[in-house]
Amino acid sequence: MSQISLTFPDGNAREFPAGITPAEVAQAISTSLGKKAISASVDGAHWDLAWPIDTDAAIAIHTMQDDAPALELIRHDFAHVMARAVQEIWPDTKVTIGPVTEKGWFYDFDRAEPFTPEDLGAIEAKMKEIVAARDPVTTEVWDRDRAIAHYRDTNEPYKVELIDRIPEGAPIRMYWHGDWQDLCRGPHLQHTGQLPADAFKLMGVSGAYWFGDTSRPMLQRIQGVAFKNRNDLKAHLTFLEEAAKRDHRRLGREMDLFHMQEEAPGQVFWHPNGWTIYTTLQDYMRRKQRAGGYQEINTPQVVDRKLWEASGHWEKYQHHMFIVEVDESRDGETDDAAVKDKAQTRINALKPMNCPCHVQVFNQGLKSYRDLPLRLAEFGSCARFEPSGALHGIMRVRGFTQDDAHIFCTEDQIQEECARFIEFLAGVYRELGFPDFEIRFATRPEKRVGSDESWDHVEGALENAIKAVGRDYVLEPGDGAFYGPKLDFYLTDAIGRVWQCGTFQVDPNLPERLGASYVAPDGDKKRPFMLHRAALGSFERFIGILIEEHSGKLPFWLAPRQVVVASIVSEADDYIHEIVAALRAAGVRAEADLRNEKINYKVREHSVGKVPAILAIGHREVEERTVTLRRLGEKATSVLSLDEAVATLAREATPPDLL
């Protein structure tokens, strides 16, 4: 029998017979490792212990101590165990697919009756029985005809479709968990008893279409989570509870910030409170950008396809665009909006991004090298099609506004502009409550435009800029755009979630496509580099992040309702009006609550609305010209003179860039 050489992580190599399995390799190393082994990596691929190895390779044996492969196997095997449990309880149910997700798995089922919460409990109980049975997990490779015949005989049409999607020549692998069989490429554990029976939970049921095809009947998707041990599961469920408390959609209702409705999917109806947050944040960014040397512009929202064709977006990005056809022969008075004259019809798109329009502004008039760098900023309203299933409150929408800007500069100015932007962004994040952030540096992909020399220079400029401002970065090789490298900026919120918000991208391509140029010192025309940059990303999403970061208890200067002055007795009404007027004159968003309700009722109601300061006014406060201040979330109160209260609250209401 021929021999193969297997190289281990420590660099040592050993000879083994060709066709040896990782299970046999582990046993050959030590009996202990043979018992602990769960899978292997073979030349970087995750490998089942039962799969043969036929050629020289690098190998690493995994145990339950190796988190990534262990969790992948646990979650994948639980998907199969769950599907087996469902078919054991309801044999007529048809199975489809059950992939691993970030924290668990899902499996889609075709069943006539809907699953209920009680059904999920029954499925969990059956799954624990299967785990306790320690049934063996086995695998075979079948030929295509045998596999198709098997699934036709067992009335599993979705599996037949899956086999049809497998490329010719690719192995068709079957797995058994006990007697229950499924089409799967693996790998898997060796028996069901390796699964932690106390470290999984079924989370719910939702609808899903087979491969997203809405013309097909809807399937039922059961989702589950699984971890290596009970404590990790408990921590995850606690995290989900905390995330639910912070959900911006729930807080948006409680604080009366916004709503969404089916007549405008993925678009936000801002209420006065929410719009106050929006405009306060936008005014803050406008001041920061002006101080940073940006000139604000505004560009059209409906733009002819000709520009999108010239920029390349029509070919590459049309699937995300909203198309608007306009019959230019209409008189605008009596004709309806339907297109009647195709020859006179103009095809437009709602802009999904601002970049091409900013180049048009740059192209107006002759530009000199002395005009560079030219920083153009826009709070640009954009529209992008997102599938309805992907929409999520104000975090994932179809209509949004970016804090967008583009810097036109020479190649030699890229490093300075990058460093300048990182410092700008750091100041914004710090003042908005995110002092720490991570920079991820995405470098040249395999398919790209431009010379290696140019890429070397630009990537070096970005790296030197990061170092110049004393920041670290995480390298993401090959993840840059085809036209240039980029930096992405990530924030971590109060419960550990990571959000990508800011970006800085180098682009020599769009100025070339759209004919942008400047006059160089030698009199020749040259192409500028275009630097795409954003700090917040979109206002909608960033406001959602802020709401969840603070559980609705926004910093005082951002809170839509900063102070409520509440009466304890009706005799205090005149004094309350005086207090509200003084606060408003000092720049504080203040309102009176003169309702004939108990003060404790008023405090509870305004606390739910996340009002940061409540001033309670009764007989004593009127007589002494004081206020009793209660802060949101605090039981203790303090008594201040009116002048002191106004000065204190006015200072807190001042945006951080104006302090």
Side-chain angles (χ1 to χ4, degrees):
M1 180 179 291
S2 61
Q3 296 288 105
I4 59 172
S5 175
L6 297 182
T7 304
F8 294 90
D10 63 2
N12 289 325
R14 286 179 60 178
E15 298 287 322
F16 292 93
I20 193 170
T21 66
E24 293 167 332
V25 173
Q27 188 68 31
I29 294 172
S30 73
T31 302
S32 173
L33 183 60
K35 293 178 179 179
K36 294 178 180 178
I38 57 171
S39 67
S41 288
V42 176
D43 283 343
H46 200 186
W47 208 263
D48 195 294
L49 288 184
W51 296 351
I53 307 170
D54 297 317
T55 60
D56 294 349
I59 186 171
I61 303 297
H62 301 309
T63 71
M64 280 296 181
Q65 300 304 310
D66 300 308
D67 283 352
L71 285 170
E72 179 187 338
L73 292 173
I74 287 169
R75 290 160 180 167
H76 197 173
D77 279 73
F78 265 128
H80 283 236
V81 168
M82 183 182 76
R84 171 182 163 181
V86 167
Q87 287 200 312
E88 287 187 5
I89 300 171
W90 299 283
D92 292 336
T93 302
K94 294 178 176 59
V95 291
T96 63
I97 55 174
V100 171
T101 60
E102 183 183 3
K103 300 294 183 182
W105 75 91
F106 69 78
Y107 211 114
D108 292 345
F109 299 97
D110 185 352
R111 178 175 179 244
E113 297 297 322
F115 290 109
T116 66
E118 291 75 21
D119 291 339
L120 296 187
I123 296 168
E124 283 189 351
K126 177 63 72 172
M127 291 172 68
K128 290 179 180 179
E129 289 179 16
I130 296 169
V131 171
R134 299 176 64 84
D135 287 337
V137 178
T138 56
T139 183
E140 293 179 5
V141 175
W142 284 7
D143 64 62
R144 185 176 298 267
D145 291 342
R146 181 186 178 190
I148 290 174
H150 170 78
Y151 283 121
R152 283 178 176 159
D153 290 344
T154 55
N155 193 25
E156 293 285 6
Y158 298 98
K159 296 298 182 181
V160 175
E161 284 191 52
L162 283 174
I163 293 171
D164 288 339
R165 292 171 178 265
I166 297 174
E168 288 290 341
I172 297 175
R173 184 171 289 280
M174 300 295 183
Y175 270 91
W176 286 261
H177 283 66
D179 294 330
W180 186 85
Q181 180 267 352
D182 200 2
L183 171 72
C184 182
R185 60 190 169 199
H188 281 283
L189 294 168
Q190 286 67 63
H191 61 82
T192 60
Q194 291 175 294
L195 290 168
D198 60 351
F200 80 95
K201 183 173 179 59
L202 301 186
M203 301 302 294
V205 184
S206 59
Y209 290 106
W210 180 240
F211 283 102
D213 184 353
T214 56
S215 67
R216 303 283 294 270
M218 183 173 282
L219 304 171
Q220 297 186 71
R221 174 171 295 175
I222 300 180
Q223 298 164 318
V225 295
F227 298 87
K228 288 172 57 178
N229 55 65
R230 181 180 180 180
N231 288 339
D232 288 350
L233 172 65
K234 184 178 179 181
H236 178 69
L237 297 178
T238 301
F239 166 83
L240 293 180
E241 290 176 6
E242 183 61 31
K245 294 176 187 175
R246 296 168 178 265
D247 192 320
H248 73 280
R249 295 167 297 180
R250 180 179 67 83
L251 291 169
R253 291 190 298 272
E254 293 178 357
M255 298 171 67
D256 193 21
L257 303 181
F258 60 85
H259 80 275
M260 324 285 281
Q261 64 187 61
E262 63 180 13
E263 289 81 2
Q267 298 175 84
V268 187
F269 290 80
W270 289 104
H271 299 188
N273 289 341
W275 193 242
T276 297
I277 299 173
Y278 193 109
T279 55
T280 301
L281 185 60
Q282 190 176 78
D283 289 344
Y284 164 79
M285 288 303 299
R286 177 173 284 117
R287 291 191 302 271
K288 295 292 286 188
Q289 290 184 158
R290 284 177 178 168
Y294 292 87
Q295 301 178 58
E296 187 174 338
I297 60 175
N298 190 266
T299 60
Q301 294 185 45
V302 182
V303 181
D304 193 291
R305 66 178 288 179
K306 294 176 183 176
L307 181 59
W308 304 114
E309 288 173 338
S311 69
H313 291 97
W314 191 260
E315 176 187 359
K316 301 289 187 182
Y317 209 77
Q318 187 184 152
H319 58 287
H320 279 305
M321 292 183 176
F322 288 96
I323 308 302
V324 182
E325 295 189 0
V326 179
D327 184 349
E328 297 289 358
S329 68
R330 289 162 47 198
D331 61 18
E333 297 291 337
T334 59
D335 291 348
D336 61 35
V339 172
K340 298 177 180 177
D341 187 345
K342 287 288 185 183
Q344 295 293 319
T345 296
R346 181 188 293 267
I347 299 177
N348 309 280
L350 298 181
K351 66 176 179 181
M353 70 279 294
N354 303 298
C355 334
C357 291
H358 285 203
V359 179
Q360 305 314 299
V361 174
F362 179 87
N363 284 349
Q364 298 303 300
L366 192 64
K367 297 294 186 297
S368 162
Y369 69 94
R370 295 186 180 89
D371 299 315
L372 306 183
L374 179 61
R375 307 180 190 96
L376 300 179
E378 177 178 12
F379 298 123
S381 295
C382 299
R384 296 179 188 172
F385 176 78
E386 299 281 359
S388 58
L391 301 176
H392 179 71
I394 63 175
M395 297 283 214
R396 188 80 178 267
V397 292
R398 291 177 176 174
F400 57 93
T401 300
Q402 296 175 307
D403 68 314
D404 205 7
H406 295 92
I407 303 167
F408 296 88
C409 66
T410 68
E411 188 170 8
D412 291 339
Q413 293 170 330
I414 292 173
Q415 178 175 328
E416 181 180 350
E417 287 302 307
C418 181
R420 182 187 181 105
F421 174 67
I422 296 172
E423 292 285 358
F424 170 86
L425 175 139
V428 168
Y429 287 174
R430 182 175 59 254
E431 291 178 345
L432 293 178
F434 297 97
D436 300 316
F437 59 89
E438 181 180 77
I439 302 174
R440 300 186 189 176
F441 181 11
T443 58
R444 70 191 76 182
E446 288 188 16
K447 294 182 179 180
R448 57 185 182 269
V449 296
S451 67
D452 286 344
E453 182 182 10
S454 177
W455 277 89
D456 288 342
H457 185 277
V458 173
E459 288 176 348
L462 266 57
E463 183 177 25
N464 290 336
I466 299 170
K467 292 178 178 178
V469 296
R471 297 277 175 176
D472 296 323
Y473 65 86
V474 175
L475 191 64
E476 296 187 328
D479 283 350
F482 73 92
Y483 51 76
K486 65 174 181 174
L487 306 180
D488 287 327
F489 300 86
Y490 288 78
L491 304 177
T492 301
D493 69 14
I495 57 174
R497 296 172 300 185
V498 178
W499 306 94
Q500 191 264 311
C501 295
T503 191
F504 183 92
Q505 303 179 20
V506 180
D507 183 2
N509 181 62
L510 197 59
E512 176 76 28
R513 294 188 69 112
L514 298 182
S517 66
Y518 68 93
V519 178
D522 60 7
D524 289 342
K525 285 191 174 182
K526 291 189 176 180
R527 300 290 183 208
F529 276 75
M530 186 177 186
L531 310 179
H532 307 256
R533 50 109 294 182
L536 307 183
S538 80
F539 281 92
E540 289 76 7
R541 183 167 176 268
F542 199 85
I543 289 171
I545 293 171
L546 283 172
I547 292 169
E548 296 196 357
E549 162 73 8
H550 297 285
S551 298
K553 302 173 185 177
L554 294 169
F556 195 91
W557 70 276
L558 265 178
R561 302 169 63 212
Q562 293 172 329
V563 180
V564 169
V565 189
S567 61
I568 299 174
V569 295
S570 59
E571 289 82 359
D573 289 1
D574 289 343
Y575 182 46
I576 288 173
H577 286 306
E578 180 184 347
I579 296 169
V580 169
L583 288 168
R584 289 177 175 173
V588 179
R589 291 186 285 275
E591 59 192 82
D593 184 349
L594 307 178
R595 294 174 299 163
N596 185 24
E597 300 285 357
K598 299 282 188 182
I599 188 63
N600 287 342
Y601 175 86
K602 294 179 182 182
V603 169
R604 283 195 301 271
E605 182 180 272
H606 296 309
S607 295
V608 170
K610 302 297 187 285
V611 177
I614 300 172
L615 304 183
I617 308 299
H619 286 300
R620 187 188 67 178
E621 287 80 13
V622 173
E623 293 172 2
E624 299 176 357
R625 293 189 62 76
T626 59
V627 302
T628 297
L629 170 62
R630 180 189 293 269
R631 301 280 188 177
L632 179 62
E634 297 179 6
K635 292 183 179 180
T637 61
S638 57
V639 177
L640 305 174
S641 69
L642 176 56
D643 289 344
E644 184 182 2
V646 170
T648 298
L649 296 171
R651 185 168 55 254
E652 294 179 20
T654 304
D657 62 307
L658 298 179
L659 289 173

